[in-house]
Amino acid sequence: MSRRLAEVARKVGVSEATVSRVLNEKPGVSIATRQAVLSALDVLGYERPTKLRGERARLVGLVLPELQNPIFPAFAEIIGGALAQNGYTPVLCTQTAGGITEADYVELLLQQQVSGVIFVGGAYMQQDGSHEHYRRLRDLNLPTVLVNAPIDDFGFATVSCDDTAAIDQSFAHLTELGHTRIGLLLGPRDHVPSQRKLAAAKRAMARTGGQLDDDQVVHSLYSLEAGQAGATRLLRAGVSAIVCASDPMALGAIRAVRRAGQSVPGDVSVIGFDDSALMSCVEPPLTTIRQPIEHMGRMIMELLIRQIKGDSASTEEFFFEPELVVRASTSRPHAPN
């Protein structure tokens, strides 16, 4: 008990006596200080005394890594609407370079006594990322759902687009068109969805009797500029098609092809990932993998509501089948490779 008092007091910046007064519902403590002490108990992983637990707010944290990639606002719209329909208010938490971290957001959400948290991308996908705040949520037993491919040891319910199916569809399409030297433009090396895509691509090439050489794979950031730089390297390796891990990366790849004096799809075919907004309106319209975000959104809500209602938290990963949307950025290669 004394250790708990000391940790909470340091966290809030008050005396242990003040913390004791709050826990024992004694007078002489301001409302703001009382709330800060209770929030510190949550953040540090201590259970509140039964008489102080109360009911959690009907708020749900919706944590996104960014808003520049159109797929994240699309997920936010689907999930936010579903939350509202179920009587919950989404608290949107978006990271920015040099700004508030995921761990900071988790602490703020705990202070608000949210009913649950949904992460649409984040450090849980990266093996080298900071993960302590996820373990804190698990220890607090706060309802939590992850979207897409976490590392293995969190124990949260997860809803994922099937990366293996996405790669199988992309490579089957390009192989049928006659491409044999296919480049792969992925996210960082420690990024689990990228690792899954790479493993699937190697299997897909092996089934055709080919292989995926090291110079046919580039790991990059998920942006147009990074996609352009990565695709430039793949063009030097002599690929006739590029499969990208996001639509912005695919747009960067198209720019790289044009800067090299070539055309899409005449010289190089390009496939994106997500089928985010306006991909049918770019030039050429982008062949891409469509994530079934509406179906995924419904499952995310079902898993979260079950936990909020007190059902035991699922630790399964639920996979949803994507769809290859064929448009004008892919065609047969001009000559055999």
Side-chain angles (χ1 to χ4, degrees), residues 24-226:
N24 291 289
E25 294 190 286
K26 299 295 184 181
V29 182
S30 69
I31 294 175
T33 299
R34 188 178 300 275
Q35 184 57 52
V37 168
L38 295 178
S39 296
L41 285 172
D42 296 336
V43 169
L44 293 171
Y46 292 119
E47 270 195 40
R48 297 186 183 197
T50 303
K51 56 191 174 184
L52 295 177
R53 285 178 190 170
E55 184 178 348
R56 289 193 176 276
R58 294 185 69 82
L59 303 172
V60 171
L62 181 54
V63 185
L64 306 171
E66 57 163 307
L67 291 177
Q68 291 183 343
N69 186 333
I71 193 62
F72 294 118
F75 263 115
E77 182 178 7
I78 294 292
I79 296 171
L83 285 169
Q85 289 174 2
N86 284 275
Y88 293 90
T89 301
V91 180
L92 187 63
C93 304
T94 306
Q95 299 173 69
T96 56
I100 298 178
T101 66
E102 261 189 1
D104 292 333
Y105 274 129
V106 166
E107 185 163 345
L108 289 171
L109 292 170
L110 290 173
Q111 290 174 6
Q112 295 298 316
Q113 290 188 268
V114 295
S115 295
V117 184
I118 299 169
F119 291 90
V120 185
Y124 62 86
M125 293 180 170
Q126 293 185 258
Q127 293 171 329
D128 298 336
S130 175
H131 301 141
E132 188 58 39
H133 51 292
Y134 300 116
R135 298 188 179 95
R136 182 186 303 169
L137 291 174
R138 183 182 59 195
D139 293 342
L140 289 171
N141 202 29
L142 187 72
T144 302
V145 180
L146 309 180
V147 180
N148 281 334
I151 63 173
D152 295 331
D153 65 347
F154 291 133
F156 290 131
T158 304
V159 176
S160 294
C161 181
D162 192 331
D163 290 303
T164 297
I167 289 296
D168 286 347
Q169 292 175 27
S170 299
F171 273 66
H173 173 61
L174 293 171
T175 301
E176 288 171 5
L177 290 173
H179 294 275
T180 59
R181 190 160 175 81
I182 300 169
L184 200 57
L185 189 53
L186 300 173
R189 293 181 185 275
D190 69 331
H191 188 245
V192 176
S194 296
Q195 293 173 351
R196 292 180 176 181
K197 289 182 175 74
L198 178 57
K202 290 179 177 178
R203 291 192 296 267
M205 290 300 293
R207 286 195 295 269
T208 65
Q211 66 179 23
L212 198 66
D213 296 331
D214 290 343
D215 63 355
Q216 291 173 248
V217 181
V218 171
H219 291 275
S220 178
L221 300 176
Y222 283 90
S223 69
L224 188 151
E225 294 77 13

